[in-house]
Amino acid sequence: MFIDISPLKASRDFRLLFIGQVVSFFGTMISFVAIQWQVYELTKSSAYVGYISLFQFVPMFVFAFIGGAVADSFDRRRILRLTEIGQTLVTVFLIVNSFIGTPSLTVIYISAAVHAACAALQRPAFESFIQKVIPAEMMTSVQALNSLRWSIGAVIGPAIAGVITTTLGVRTAFIVDLATFAVSLIAVYMISAVPTAADAERPSVRGVLDSVRYALSKPYLLGTYIIDIAAMFFAVPQALFPALAKTYGEKFLGLFPAAIATGSLIAALTSGWTKKVEHHGAAITAAAILWGVGIVLFGFANGIWIALACLVFAGFSDMISAIFRGAVWNQSIPNFMRGRLASLEMISYLTGPYLGNAKMGIVAEWTSVPTAIISGGALCIIGVAASAMLIPGFMTYRATDGIRDRELEEARK
């Protein structure tokens, strides 16, 4: 029933990355809340808060393909080190900008864009590195642990960020974020080298296109991408949290994202049962629909604690979907394509939130915050159900199918 920690026992390198990422993500979530609050305070507009995601989307989309191709061809440890340094420098720029009398929106948006580019380059290397040091049968547990790592940072980070940002200011929040990068930098400099295969493909447009064709040829991969995009694009509510904090009280600013993450944390901590589930496609679909249900209920909530409870439920459902999506990816994709496919995964799970936040902020400006939330949740339910029905074989996909496909692909290589 409880989370399986066997991957942490199995690999020193995974332990190092896990600890480093736990600490750095905690700081990143503090900056995430601080940036949104800073933009809302400067503009008084949910749409401008949503535009942060648009500035993140473009570099994420472009650099994800580059990161995937590079991860399959070069030293993944070096990529992790360079991108971690890049994200540290972004935080330095935000601190400097906060010392200006009226902080520059341009600097904030550019910093968000550069951070997204570094993350896009880093994620494929991270995923393909883990696949090299952890056996395939542990991948559901790895995903649960990664989900736990995310949840810890996303619960504690925003909760603390709300207090720091509204009392001590965004500058202090950024300084705390900078301090956390020290731990993650130490971790990535301590991990072992994982040699790149001698016959690894060099980065090329053809290699990227091959990965896209491969993903399109596998309905179970396509399903994970489309369903997550539909769920997040329609129903992600983060751009509205500053406006909701003005309604419920500024002290609740950090509790909205923390509530989603609390649900995710509960799901991760109780995820031991997920390794016994074979029908991953059906599980992903059901969990994504329940995410939409939680957002609809959040929109109808008439009190802060009811609203937060709805977000906890939504976060729990989203994390269950994420655990099974991650298991599908790590169990079924051959290692020689893992980096490039990780870039497609990143595009799938970030396209929805980035574009969805912008959409949610604009809809709220045109109508109202509750209307934006309720309509988004309803469209999520419809979109996810329709996507699952239109992708042949996705609902009947089993974990053993993916493991068999991976073994066959690697044997041919």
Side-chain angles (χ1 to χ4, degrees):
M1 180 65 177
F2 293 105
I3 192 166
D4 177 18
I5 63 170
S6 55
L8 290 171
K9 299 177 181 178
S11 171
R12 167 187 173 275
D13 289 327
F14 181 68
R15 287 196 300 274
L16 284 170
L17 283 178
F18 183 84
I19 293 169
Q21 292 297 307
V22 164
V23 176
S24 69
F25 186 67
F26 164 77
T28 297
M29 289 305 297
I30 290 179
S31 282
F32 171 77
V33 172
I35 286 175
Q36 290 193 331
W37 183 254
Q38 189 177 38
V39 171
Y40 192 80
E41 285 288 277
L42 290 169
T43 66
K44 308 302 180 186
S45 168
S46 293
Y48 275 90
V49 176
Y51 295 156
I52 297 171
S53 296
L54 286 183
F55 275 85
Q56 293 172 312
F57 172 75
V58 175
M60 179 279 297
F61 190 88
V62 173
F63 282 91
F65 286 111
I66 297 172
V70 169
D72 283 335
S73 304
F74 294 109
D75 183 354
R76 292 154 184 173
R77 182 177 62 171
R78 181 175 297 178
I79 297 169
L80 291 172
R81 291 173 176 176
L82 291 175
T83 52
E84 202 72 19
I85 291 171
Q87 291 174 324
T88 303
L89 292 175
V90 167
T91 306
V92 172
F93 295 145
L94 288 171
I95 292 172
V96 173
N97 188 50
S98 69
F99 277 94
I100 300 172
T102 301
S104 168
L105 273 177
T106 301
V107 171
I108 296 171
Y109 286 139
I110 291 176
S111 296
V114 174
H115 189 282
C118 290
L121 290 170
Q122 183 183 82
R123 188 68 186 183
F126 179 85
E127 292 290 348
S128 53
F129 185 93
I130 287 176
Q131 196 188 46
K132 275 288 190 180
V133 298
I134 297 291
E137 61 270 18
M138 289 187 178
M139 285 306 169
T140 303
S141 299
V142 166
Q143 191 59 34
L145 285 167
N146 284 336
S147 301
L148 175 65
R149 167 179 61 81
W150 180 89
S151 300
I152 290 172
V155 171
I156 301 174
I160 293 176
V163 176
I164 293 175
T165 301
T166 57
T167 57
L168 302 178
V170 295
R171 182 187 309 153
T172 304
F174 295 145
I175 291 172
V176 172
D177 183 18
L178 180 64
T180 65
F181 273 109
V183 176
S184 59
L185 284 169
I186 292 171
V188 296
Y189 272 89
M190 288 180 65
I191 59 176
S192 305
V194 175
T196 304
D199 60 348
E201 291 186 40
R202 310 309 293 173
S204 66
V205 173
R206 178 181 177 181
V208 171
L209 294 177
D210 284 344
S211 68
V212 173
R213 282 191 289 267
Y214 179 85
L216 294 177
S217 72
K218 306 292 184 181
Y220 52 83
L221 293 180
L222 189 61
T224 63
Y225 305 152
I226 292 176
I227 285 176
D228 191 46
I229 289 173
M232 294 296 109
F233 174 75
F234 289 119
V236 68
Q238 276 90 344
L240 305 182
F241 291 161
L244 287 167
K246 291 294 185 180
T247 299
Y248 286 110
E250 292 184 3
K251 62 182 179 181
F252 296 114
L253 172 65
L255 295 188
F256 295 111
I260 293 178
T262 297
S264 299
L265 178 60
I266 294 170
L269 289 173
T270 59
S271 63
W273 60 272
T274 59
K275 64 182 179 181
K276 300 178 182 178
V277 176
E278 277 286 306
H279 290 89
H280 288 181
I284 291 167
T285 303
I289 288 174
L290 290 175
W291 155 262
V293 171
I295 297 302
V296 170
L297 295 175
F298 172 57
F300 280 113
N302 56 6
I304 182 62
W305 301 114
I306 296 175
L308 293 176
C310 293
L311 289 178
V312 170
F313 174 78
F316 180 95
S317 303
D318 181 50
M319 185 52 68
I320 295 300
S321 173
I323 288 172
F324 286 115
R325 281 184 283 114
V328 170
W329 297 335
N330 280 315
Q331 287 175 338
S332 67
I333 298 170
N335 190 259
F336 62 86
M337 295 190 75
R338 190 66 191 92
R340 282 168 288 170
L341 268 295
S343 67
L344 296 180
E345 293 153 21
M346 171 176 280
I347 289 169
S348 74
Y349 65 69
L350 290 181
T351 292
Y354 284 164
L355 298 184
N357 267 319
K359 182 271 300 178
M360 194 71 83
I362 293 169
V363 172
E365 290 283 308
W366 288 349
T367 57
S368 67
V369 170
T371 299
I373 295 171
I374 294 167
S375 63
L379 288 171
C380 164
I381 295 169
I382 296 169
V384 168
S387 297
M389 289 188 293
L390 292 172
I391 301 172
F394 183 69
M395 291 291 288
T396 57
Y397 168 79
R398 298 167 64 93
T400 49
D401 299 334
I403 294 174
R404 183 189 64 244
D405 281 1
R406 175 185 171 183
E407 290 173 348
L408 289 172
E409 293 283 351
E410 291 184 340
R412 293 192 192 105
K413 182 68 173 180

